[in-house]
Amino acid sequence: MRAKVSLKDILPAVMRTVSVADKKSIVPILSHVLMDFNAKGLTIQATDLDHSIVEQVSAEVDTFGSLAVPAGVLGDILRKVPNETILEFSAIEKGDKLLVTAGRFKFELSTLRADDFPVISRLENTCRFLLNASDFNKLISRTKFSISPEESRHNLNGIFIHKKDDMLKAASTDGHRLSVSAIPLSAKESIQGVIVARKTVFEIKKLLDTAENDVVITFSANQIQFEIGNILFISKLVDGNFPDYTRVIPAADGEFFTVKRSDFVEIIDRVAVISDDKVKAVKLGLSKNSLSCYVANNKIGSGQDIVDVKYDGKEWSAGFNASYLLDIAQTLQGDELKIYVKESLTPILIIDPSEPESLFVVMPMRI
């Protein structure tokens, strides 16, 4: 096996596979990436058995062959190679080692047999549809931060994706907040509701950030597949039923205030500096055309800031986790936020008028 590959082509692909490979696995092959030099160039694969990635990379291949190389080590080496480098890969010692050379440096990496690497099978003959990469990226961005990190609540450990009318909807919740968003969907076939796992969401988000192509999504009974350019990503779906999130969405009626999004971010971010690091509690207060943000910390002191808003209702106050509010406000991009309020211990509804397809619910906390 012998081939030449440009660093600019192989490095991004290797780093994507490194993040998928299970570097702490007790099964050695799962901490490796499979490098297959073939007639199409170089195919790189990695899997932790729940998530798999396959990517095609341009390469000048003289002799075909494949072997498995430690993922982390390969990534560390390539990240320290000078830009514009052309790397040469060749198998030595009967394929037991991979020789990586360029200029005056060389590395010899121990390998494992390619035959021991798990077979990654493409999903076929199942539900399949096309999405604009930018739209899908927006859908994930609006909901990923509300995914529950608690392993005991496995049905909340991902984003619930489902079809409603002509929209693809996404929802996530950790029990304290809810994020819902939607994008247009031209697919006419029925699409089952599925829960896309947390790791899958964050890996796909990284791919979408640089994607220039549409995304082809394929569902099976227990897996989801994403095709983005020359990258194939497959993962298991979360087994469980997502709760009926529509029941906790407050009605968009009653009293509300509008505030410049940048002002909202600034006062919360500024005042939260002295809040308790674990709770990040802030108290919001409303009076006529005025929103205050207040924090009292027994160990440090107190702080308050006030911003002008459009509001002509009764006085209102409630405590919130500052991080939850900032996650929402910093994710959105419109100039204003519209926030519906009721009693001090009832959830608030946050909407960006420029993005009516997205809404956010935040539960209050006692302070």
Side-chain angles (χ1 to χ4, degrees):
M1 185 207 80
R2 185 181 300 274
K4 292 182 179 181
V5 187
S6 170
L7 177 68
K8 67 179 179 63
D9 292 330
I10 192 174
L11 179 57
V14 167
M15 298 314 297
R16 283 188 280 267
T17 56
V18 165
S19 67
V20 172
D22 189 351
K23 295 176 282 299
K24 297 180 180 179
S25 175
I26 60 174
V27 181
I29 196 69
L30 298 182
S31 66
H32 286 55
V33 293
L34 180 65
M35 303 181 71
D36 177 25
F37 294 92
N38 50 64
K40 295 181 179 180
L42 169 62
T43 304
I44 303 179
Q45 304 181 42
T47 183
D48 63 2
L49 298 184
D50 289 332
H51 311 83
S52 303
I53 188 168
V54 180
E55 184 165 355
Q56 192 67 37
V57 177
S58 298
E60 296 180 12
V61 182
D62 293 333
T63 309
F64 299 163
S66 57
L67 38 74
V69 184
V73 174
L74 180 62
D76 288 342
I77 290 172
L78 296 185
R79 284 191 296 109
K80 298 182 184 299
V81 172
N83 293 333
E84 308 302 325
T85 298
I86 301 298
L87 300 157
E88 295 188 19
F89 295 88
S90 57
I92 59 175
E93 297 185 16
K94 298 182 179 180
D96 290 337
K97 289 188 177 182
L98 175 68
L99 177 64
V100 184
T101 61
R104 291 184 290 182
F105 78 78
K106 70 176 182 179
F107 291 91
E108 294 182 7
L109 303 180
S110 296
T111 66
L112 296 179
R113 285 167 24 93
D115 292 344
D116 294 332
F117 198 85
V119 176
I120 299 174
S121 300
R122 178 186 290 268
L123 303 186
E124 301 289 354
N125 301 320
T126 49
C127 178
R128 181 183 176 93
F129 57 95
L130 185 76
L131 289 177
N132 176 273
S134 179
D135 288 345
F136 190 50
N137 194 5
K138 179 180 176 181
L139 188 72
I140 289 178
S141 297
R142 298 294 183 266
T143 51
K144 66 181 177 65
F145 53 83
S146 298
I147 297 173
S148 174
E150 297 181 25
E151 295 298 330
S152 61
R153 309 179 73 180
H154 69 281
N155 64 323
L156 302 184
N157 294 155
I159 292 178
F160 179 54
I161 294 180
H162 57 296
K163 180 182 179 183
K164 185 174 182 181
D165 300 325
D166 293 326
M167 304 292 284
L168 185 68
K169 301 197 71 174
S172 67
T173 181
D174 58 9
H176 303 288
R177 52 184 169 168
L178 167 70
S179 300
V180 180
S181 191
I183 58 174
L185 180 66
S186 59
K188 300 302 179 184
E189 64 267 33
S190 175
I191 296 175
Q192 61 175 329
V194 299
I195 304 174
V196 182
R198 181 186 183 91
K199 179 175 178 178
T200 303
V201 169
F202 284 88
E203 292 298 331
I204 290 300
K205 179 67 173 66
K206 289 187 287 187
L207 298 179
L208 292 171
D209 284 343
T210 58
E212 298 178 354
N213 308 86
D214 289 333
V215 182
V216 179
I217 301 179
T218 306
F219 291 120
S220 71
N222 59 0
Q223 289 183 300
I224 186 169
Q225 173 180 285
F226 303 88
E227 296 173 73
I228 306 174
N230 59 350
I231 303 171
L232 181 72
F233 189 97
I234 305 171
S235 82
K236 289 183 179 179
L237 294 166
V238 175
D239 183 18
N241 295 316
F242 199 80
D244 182 5
Y245 66 87
T246 60
R247 295 188 303 172
V248 302
I249 300 176
D253 57 12
E255 296 182 336
F256 66 88
F257 68 94
T258 57
V259 57
K260 286 184 61 177
R261 186 177 63 86
S262 58
D263 289 345
F264 190 70
V265 169
E266 286 176 6
I267 66 166
I268 293 175
D269 190 39
R270 187 155 44 228
V271 176
V273 168
I274 64 170
S275 65
D276 185 279
D277 287 339
K278 294 182 179 179
V279 181
K280 286 292 184 185
V282 298
K283 187 173 184 179
L284 299 183
L286 271 176
S287 57
K288 183 177 176 62
N289 294 330
S290 176
L291 173 69
S292 66
C293 181
Y294 175 78
V295 169
N297 186 322
N298 292 333
K299 296 180 180 179
I300 301 175
S302 64
Q304 179 175 319
D305 200 355
I306 298 174
V307 65
D308 293 335
V309 299
K310 296 177 182 178
Y311 182 68
D312 194 24
K314 62 183 180 181
E315 291 192 357
W316 168 93
S317 65
F320 294 94
N321 183 311
S323 297
Y324 294 169
L325 299 176
L326 289 174
D327 282 343
I328 296 168
Q330 291 174 336
T331 296
L332 293 168
Q333 298 178 338
D335 293 332
E336 281 191 335
L337 297 177
K338 189 175 185 179
I339 303 179
Y340 288 85
V341 299
K342 292 186 178 180
E343 303 301 324
S344 61
L345 294 179
T346 57
I348 59 173
L349 174 65
I350 302 176
I351 297 173
D352 179 343
S354 69
E355 293 186 22
E357 69 281 0
S358 299
L359 62 87
F360 307 89
V361 179
V362 183
M363 295 293 293
M365 59 189 299
R366 294 183 183 274
I367 298 180

